[in-house]
Amino acid sequence: MSQGRENQPLIEIRGLRFKRGARVIFDGVDIDIPRGKVTAIMGPSGTGKTTLLRMIGGQLRPQAGRVTVDGQDVQALRRGELYALRKRMGMLFQSGALLTDLTVYDNVAFPLREHTKLPESMIRDLVLMKLQAVGLRGARDLMPSELSGGMARRVALARAIALDPMMIMYDEPFTGLDPISKGAVVELIRKINVALEVTSIIVSHDVRETTAISDYIYVLSDGKVMGHGPPRTLLESDAPWVRQFMQGLPDGPVPFHYPASDYAADLLAGPG
Amino acid sequence: MLTWLARLGRAGLSFFERLGRGHLFLMQVLAGVPGLLLRPRLVIQQIYSVGVLSLVIIVVSGLFVGMVLGLQGYNTLADFGAAESLGVMVALSLVRELGPVVTALLFGGRAGSALTAEIGLMKATEQLSGMEMMAVDPLRRVIAPRFVAGVIAMPLLAAIFSAVGVIGGYFVGVGLLGVDDGAFWSQMQARVDWNKDVINGVIKSLAFGLVATWIAVYEGYDATPTAEGVSRATTRTVVHTALAVLGLDFVLTALMFGE
């Protein structure tokens, strides 16, 4: 890595536009993700947060705009270059996405076996180290179907860090977990960020957990960045939309009611 | 009238679009095949699940089809005083037609549907997407080994089906109905031609194996990643395999034995 790049953001997103059918997902989004920090992308369900991660990973193409990762324009890369870049990215899927026909051990060993020619004894050491880091060394012989949601996500995390990536993307890491598992995942994300000196990107709508561990937050809605800044600034923001989202208020700029005709007239109209 | 035409056009377009995507998909899978030479274990594992696990249904069906052929053939041939030719009739029916065709239909129902469901569920649970993000191409790591395994397993299964069928015909013809043992085998040996009958049967079963496995892996890979989508894809695999195999069988038979 050249000296000049180190102060630049790891990921730069400029003028991102993306439509799915008639629905506009992104309408000119600009985001910078600094190196070595925990950056969160927040927003209500269906705002395309996961879509954004897929664009960073090169699985989806935007209709306009640019995504640059470590100085490389993801959309302009050839297949081989894109795969080389992906080896330096870790991604934690919401479902874990573990391979269901392999044990926990083999799942964590999978990227090592696919991409390195390391002897089996060294792979064993690496897998046990990664599993120890997420606290599941004792669960190595279990099948994914025998794991709880929280455990599956921790195994997936061990697999995501198997190749010592430069960055890790977390897709809704807190959703659907009990408080203890949630606490464990929060702790792990922070610890891994510091210990491995990786760049972490969290996509989430869990305000409490996300504000607790992130250094910087972008809030997306309706295809636009509604606000960004350190967690404290956003929590105290006066902008009505950001306030409603961060404090979880049921009514505000986003109305409680789905758009409908006048209530009284609707009741009196009768069927047909 | 116009809307009807429009609907027909749309259906036609989507059919050809799917056909085109299926061919592009096949090209991509074939591109991943040479790499498997370095990792034969991946293919062997799949031959086990596609081929070995299909053995029971193939052997049992082959036995009964052969037995029925023995019974029906005997009744017809005995009227002409040609009951000794039973061996020829059973062997030719199996090697030329029933072996490859029935095996392919059973293969589509047993192994093809399992392949589609497995790949469809891997897609629905983000396993394929996860592999892509680990810089592992699912077309090469997941699809190509299954495809090659199916193409290898199908002719072997068809051969086993035919062999077991002949034994079934022998049980019924010689064992129950009293056809002469020596005539049964010697006539079969004399009249079944290696090139014209056996090789043509093997070519058929190879072609069916290719088509059946292609349909199965494509439907799985192209499935809508929901429970309903996977169930539809599995049904489509079985139906399309049956139609494709029977249609292709007519074409191949016309080319091979059409004079």
Side-chain angles (χ1 to χ4, degrees):
Chain A
M1 211 180 294
S2 69
Q3 201 59 32
R5 268 201 212 158
E6 265 172 36
N7 296 323
Q8 278 178 11
L10 180 69
I11 300 172
E12 282 180 303
I13 297 171
R14 288 289 173 272
L16 193 69
R17 270 167 225 286
F18 185 69
K19 269 200 284 192
R20 201 170 263 157
R23 231 181 102 217
V24 178
I25 310 273
F26 299 123
D27 185 16
V29 166
D30 298 322
I31 290 176
D32 281 336
I33 291 173
R35 290 171 196 273
K37 296 275 173 24
V38 181
T39 306
I41 317 278
M42 306 198 68
S45 309
T47 30
K49 305 186 294 288
T50 304
T51 309
L52 189 72
L53 291 188
R54 289 191 186 276
M55 284 178 180
I56 296 173
Q59 285 186 314
L60 272 177
R61 281 173 173 278
Q63 272 112 17
R66 219 152 51 98
V67 179
T68 318
V69 177
D70 199 24
Q72 294 175 287
D73 182 347
V74 176
Q75 270 66 41
L77 291 180
R78 283 208 299 255
R79 192 175 166 284
E81 297 166 327
L82 180 62
Y83 272 60
L85 179 64
R86 280 186 190 160
K87 283 183 206 169
R88 298 160 61 208
M89 295 178 172
M91 171 128 175
L92 185 73
F93 284 84
Q94 194 177 340
S95 60
L98 295 175
L99 301 171
T100 41
D101 55 340
L102 301 179
T103 61
V104 163
Y105 179 95
D106 288 329
N107 259 292
V108 180
F110 183 83
L112 295 166
R113 287 182 180 145
E114 290 290 323
H115 293 307
T116 68
K117 292 204 169 67
L118 295 175
E120 203 53 33
S121 61
M122 199 177 281
I123 287 186
R124 187 185 131 87
D125 291 346
L126 284 169
V127 170
L128 293 184
M129 280 161 62
K130 305 296 174 186
L131 282 175
Q132 175 72 12
V134 298
L136 290 176
R137 191 165 46 84
R140 71 184 107 159
D141 294 323
L142 297 181
M143 296 303 285
S145 56
E146 299 170 286
L147 302 175
S148 70
M151 284 164 84
R153 221 164 280 179
R154 276 148 72 187
V155 174
L157 185 54
R159 185 178 69 173
I161 58 174
L163 290 171
D164 291 322
M166 62 176 174
M167 57 179 270
I168 304 176
M169 296 186 272
Y170 300 89
D171 187 3
E172 299 285 2
F174 315 116
T175 307
L177 295 185
D178 62 81
I180 299 176
S181 307
K182 209 184 270 187
V185 170
V186 168
E187 181 68 25
L188 272 174
I189 294 178
R190 194 74 239 185
K191 251 171 55 187
I192 285 172
N193 187 72
V194 175
L196 301 181
E197 296 179 338
V198 293
T199 304
S200 307
I201 304 156
I202 302 176
V203 150
S204 177
H205 51 228
D206 293 297
V207 174
R208 212 164 60 92
E209 286 77 16
T210 311
T211 47
I213 51 171
S214 43
D215 299 304
Y216 204 83
I217 297 178
Y218 283 87
V219 188
L220 297 183
S221 182
D222 296 326
K224 291 202 160 45
V225 176
M226 302 299 267
H228 58 97
R232 186 125 307 280
T233 320
L234 281 183
L235 282 170
E236 290 161 3
S237 169
D238 293 333
W241 193 94
V242 175
R243 223 183 106 224
Q244 187 189 359
F245 180 78
M246 296 303 279
Q247 304 186 5
L249 307 174
D251 212 349
V254 181
F256 173 72
H257 289 288
Y258 192 84
S261 60
D262 183 61
Y263 185 38
D266 210 356
L267 283 175
L268 290 173
Chain B
M1 181 67 192
L2 266 183
T3 52
W4 186 81
L5 263 182
R7 210 173 298 157
L8 187 74
R10 204 167 322 136
L13 280 179
S14 89
F15 170 78
F16 283 112
E17 195 199 319
R18 265 180 74 77
L19 201 65
R21 264 189 296 151
H23 279 86
L24 287 176
F25 171 82
L26 182 66
M27 292 299 134
Q28 285 171 311
V29 172
L30 289 178
V33 170
L36 291 173
L37 290 174
L38 297 172
R39 306 181 66 182
R41 262 182 61 104
L42 287 179
V43 179
I44 292 168
Q45 275 171 356
Q46 292 307 321
I47 291 184
Y48 175 78
S49 71
V50 170
V52 178
L53 294 182
S54 305
L55 267 179
V56 176
I57 186 174
I58 295 294
V59 168
V60 173
S61 315
L63 192 69
F64 279 108
V65 167
M67 281 160 57
V68 169
L69 277 176
L71 268 176
Q72 295 281 16
Y74 179 83
N75 286 336
T76 313
L77 291 173
D79 288 346
F80 301 98
E84 279 73 34
S85 302
L86 185 64
V88 185
M89 200 220 86
V90 170
L92 284 185
S93 324
L94 282 167
V95 170
R96 280 183 179 185
E97 283 299 332
L98 292 175
V101 172
V102 178
T103 307
L105 296 179
L106 294 171
F107 182 83
R110 162 66 185 75
S113 59
L115 279 177
T116 305
E118 185 191 12
I119 296 169
L121 279 175
M122 285 182 85
K123 187 177 177 187
T125 51
E126 293 186 311
Q127 293 184 49
L128 297 183
S129 190
M131 266 190 205
E132 265 179 30
M133 284 308 296
M134 285 188 278
V136 175
D137 187 348
L139 283 172
R140 299 189 176 187
R141 180 63 174 68
V142 176
I143 310 288
R146 284 165 174 75
F147 178 75
V148 172
V151 175
I152 292 175
M154 213 347 253
L156 297 175
L157 290 172
I160 292 171
F161 185 95
S162 295
V164 174
V166 167
I167 293 171
Y170 174 81
F171 278 152
V172 170
V174 177
L176 293 180
L177 302 171
V179 175
D180 182 62
D181 195 355
F184 185 90
W185 293 115
S186 66
Q187 288 218 16
M188 190 192 300
Q189 226 172 10
R191 296 274 303 281
V192 178
D193 186 66
W194 175 256
N195 285 330
K196 198 164 179 299
D197 301 320
V198 178
I199 296 292
N200 275 343
V202 171
I203 292 174
K204 269 190 184 179
S205 57
L206 250 176
F208 296 163
L210 202 127
V211 169
T213 321
W214 175 21
I215 292 177
V217 292
Y218 176 64
E219 288 293 353
Y221 194 75
D222 199 48
T224 314
T226 59
E228 196 201 359
V230 175
S231 104
R232 276 176 187 221
T234 313
T235 310
R236 269 206 304 271
T237 293
V238 177
V239 174
H240 290 187
T241 304
L243 293 177
V245 163
L246 294 172
L248 191 62
D249 183 47
F250 175 74
V251 175
L252 287 176
T253 308
L255 287 174
M256 289 167 175
F257 306 101
E259 313 281 302

